[in-house]
Amino acid sequence: MRVLAAEVKNHLNTEVEVKGWVQAIRTGGSIAFIDLRDVSGHVQCVVAKKENASIFEELRTLSRESVIEAKGKAVESQAKQGYEIQVNKFKILNKSLAPLPLGVVDMVDSDIETRLENRFLDLRKPKILSIFKVQDTISRAVRQYFHQNGFIEVRTPKIVAAATEGGTELFPVKYFDRSAYLSQSPQLYKEIMMSAGFDRVFEIAPAFRAEEHNTTRHLNEFTSIDIEMSFVDDEEAMRVLEEVIKVSSKMVIEENSKELELLGITSPKTDYSFKKISYAECVKIANDKGIKVDDGEDLSTPALKAIGEGLNEFYFITRWPRKLKPFYVQPFDEKYSRGFDLQFGEVEITSGAQRVHNPEILIKNLEAKGLNVESFEFYIKAFQYGMPPHAGWAIGLERLTMVLLNLQNIREATLFPRDRTRITP
RNA sequence: GCCCCGAUAGUGUAGUGGCCUAUCAUACGAGUCUGUCGAGCUCGUGACACGGGUUCAAAUCCCGUUCGGGGCGCCA
């Protein structure tokens, strides 16, 4: 019966069997130690030559990162962990080649490129694994929250006929004898689900953007956590968003203390204030800090840096000018909209809004943005037979992971990032 | 789409026209060692991305190619 490395301490003075990777080998003339690592952690295994010469020989000639199974008695010892396994049975399940393309526990760090090229090895590092354990907690927390609050999980098509929002570039795909695109966002479909009467939906799914951006916060394929709610306004959507983030960071703190420590997050913040700053205020703040922004112009990265400076904190930017937001965003007045962004420092985490629910206004907005109304017919139709008022938003899972863990590059928060130059591994 | 930068052993680096037969660490290999845990010690293997040019002389300067990193725009 296999025991995980982290569980060995609960089986002292009994025979245990562990399976995993040989992380380190330290040999003396007649005693050999190996650190065996699995998903839970690592444990020291020891063999003395005089007690078992053949195992001793086999152990000392192993290559690092080979996969083995070892049986023996778990005992208290002078090992750093306070216990170890005295191996009496041992089997190599698969040898590793040497030297390794990158060291799993070496003193020297590798470049991000080397790491991503050899991601299977990079991911063996307990610290890197921790990122994805935390990401798992986040997605579990948001799912749990949604299910507890009346949301239905849905799946919308990722192959679409045309651009949904304009603006961003799409990846074309061949669809039999027609051309189609990879979906940039489930926006139109989750709104149609409001017309369908599902009341509240969420979807956690990939989104594809064909922009040739080359930054530490953009991916060409990312995971979008999308929601849409009927009969609510922008304020309620922001309240739900705030709760979702609080609930997930709380669960991370509760369940991932070991991982947070490995990642160097010693005192995770819990009391985010979720201040609301209007677009107009943001323009003023940026200009006061010497970053010129004209009223009505989009907030540039330097402007967002100035606004987010020193704010190690989530905050909303609300009341965006209508002309800066997509056609489906509900107007607030002549000039402003009910669209909002959630920022963490300079990074945009979420974009959301109360949506237009009146089909005439929708058509007017489409025309005003220069979009082809005909190609949105399937969508507009859903508005013409009883569409409730609704609001929603989308969070980038990788971006959320990134800011909660203070990662410097979004690729760190993705197993196999798809960026400007990478489609493999 | 625009702009900037980089490429030296498996990994990460030093190097600024001659002292480079290329530094150091780590990894790897051999040896040594009964309690290691970043093991120690001895010895060894191993690299200037590719192509052209300048020069008496190029890792170093120039041009091109390839690969990569980053900033802006845009966005999650």
Side-chain angles (χ1 to χ4, degrees), chain A residues 376-409:
Chain A
F376 288 89
E377 218 182 302
F378 77 100
Y379 167 71
I380 295 166
K381 206 170 165 187
F383 286 66
Q384 290 168 327
Y385 298 90
M387 171 65 92
H390 57 283
W393 43 253
I395 303 187
L397 175 61
E398 295 85 357
R399 283 198 180 173
L400 180 59
T401 309
M402 185 182 170
V403 300
L404 288 179
L405 297 180
N406 193 222
L407 305 174
Q408 298 310 301
N409 191 323

